[in-house]
Amino acid sequence: MRKVILFIAMSLDGYIADCEGKVHWLGGQGNDDELIDTYSEFVSHVDTVVMGWNTYHQVRTELSPEKWVYSGLDSYVITHRDCSSTEQIQFSKENPCELIKSLKQKDGKHIWICGGADIVGQLMNEDLIDVYYISVIPMLLGKGILLFGGTEKKIPLTLIKTQNYDGITDLVYQRRKE
């Protein structure tokens, strides 16, 4: 069965965006000769990406306004807004948990949850995230949007991989049954 993977970056103090919802602080400590292309390796194992409206809007307006960076992936944007789906992007008003349950039943590679915090919280509360791939950025923000602010219960994890480069530490955990 397909796995649901949270692949996301956060500050050392747990934030995925600053108080204004911005992510301009994402990056290492500037030692480019230590860079590892973790994204290409990761994305070769997924064929579906799911995100909320704020993440989608940020990608479209700030990070890549000219080109949809997730072309080649089935893209789902969970929103309450009335938006027309395109060939590349499916807009859905469906409950995130129900959408993920439905996607898991289809054939394909793994499913990537790329944001935001509210969707992550809902999926965690229903035990729908199988793997947590967290890139910890060498930055303390002090406040902003917490990645794990919406968790209502304990979720036991098993560490399956770590790596570091350019001051960034990747932590990869798998959900385990107690």
Side-chain angles (χ1 to χ4, degrees):
M1 184 179 273
R2 303 169 81 179
K3 289 184 180 178
V4 176
I5 303 171
L6 173 64
F7 182 86
I8 199 164
M10 72 176 190
S11 65
L12 180 60
D13 51 351
Y15 297 99
I16 58 172
D18 65 19
C19 288
E20 295 159 359
K22 306 290 186 194
V23 294
H24 61 276
W25 52 271
L26 287 175
Q29 54 198 22
N31 192 354
D32 290 342
D33 60 334
E34 289 185 8
L35 289 181
I36 298 173
D37 186 6
T38 57
Y39 176 79
S40 294
E41 168 63 23
F42 168 75
V43 82
S44 70
H45 299 286
V46 300
D47 64 4
T48 304
V49 61
V50 176
M51 67 192 76
W53 174 262
N54 291 339
T55 302
Y56 164 77
H57 187 260
Q58 188 169 57
V59 169
R60 289 305 264 184
T61 61
E62 295 174 44
L63 303 176
S64 182
E66 303 298 319
K67 175 183 167 192
W68 182 240
V69 293
Y70 304 118
S71 65
L73 300 177
D74 294 333
S75 301
Y76 292 85
V77 177
I78 299 169
T79 181
H80 297 294
R81 293 172 171 79
D82 289 320
C83 299
S84 297
S85 294
T86 67
E87 254 185 65
Q88 292 185 315
I89 306 163
Q90 296 293 315
F91 293 94
S92 176
K93 292 183 179 183
E94 191 172 0
N95 174 292
C97 298
E98 296 307 313
L99 175 62
I100 293 301
K101 288 175 187 175
S102 172
L103 291 172
K104 281 187 80 160
Q105 298 307 312
K106 297 179 180 180
D107 288 334
K109 295 180 179 181
H110 301 315
I111 302 163
W112 171 18
I113 308 303
C114 80
D118 182 56
I119 290 170
V120 170
Q122 290 179 60
L123 297 175
M124 288 173 63
N125 288 327
E126 295 287 326
D127 286 326
L128 292 173
I129 299 176
D130 301 301
V131 176
Y132 295 78
Y133 192 123
I134 312 295
S135 294
V136 180
I137 305 299
M139 174 69 67
L140 295 169
L141 292 177
K143 54 186 175 178
I145 299 171
L146 277 173
L147 175 56
F148 298 121
T151 309
E152 296 175 359
K153 62 181 182 175
K154 294 178 185 175
I155 299 173
L157 304 172
T158 299
L159 181 66
I160 57 174
K161 179 180 177 182
T162 63
Q163 66 183 5
N164 58 53
Y165 50 94
D166 193 24
I168 298 169
T169 300
D170 290 338
L171 304 169
V172 185
Y173 292 93
Q174 186 170 321
R175 189 183 73 228
R176 64 180 156 90
K177 303 291 181 200
E178 284 194 308

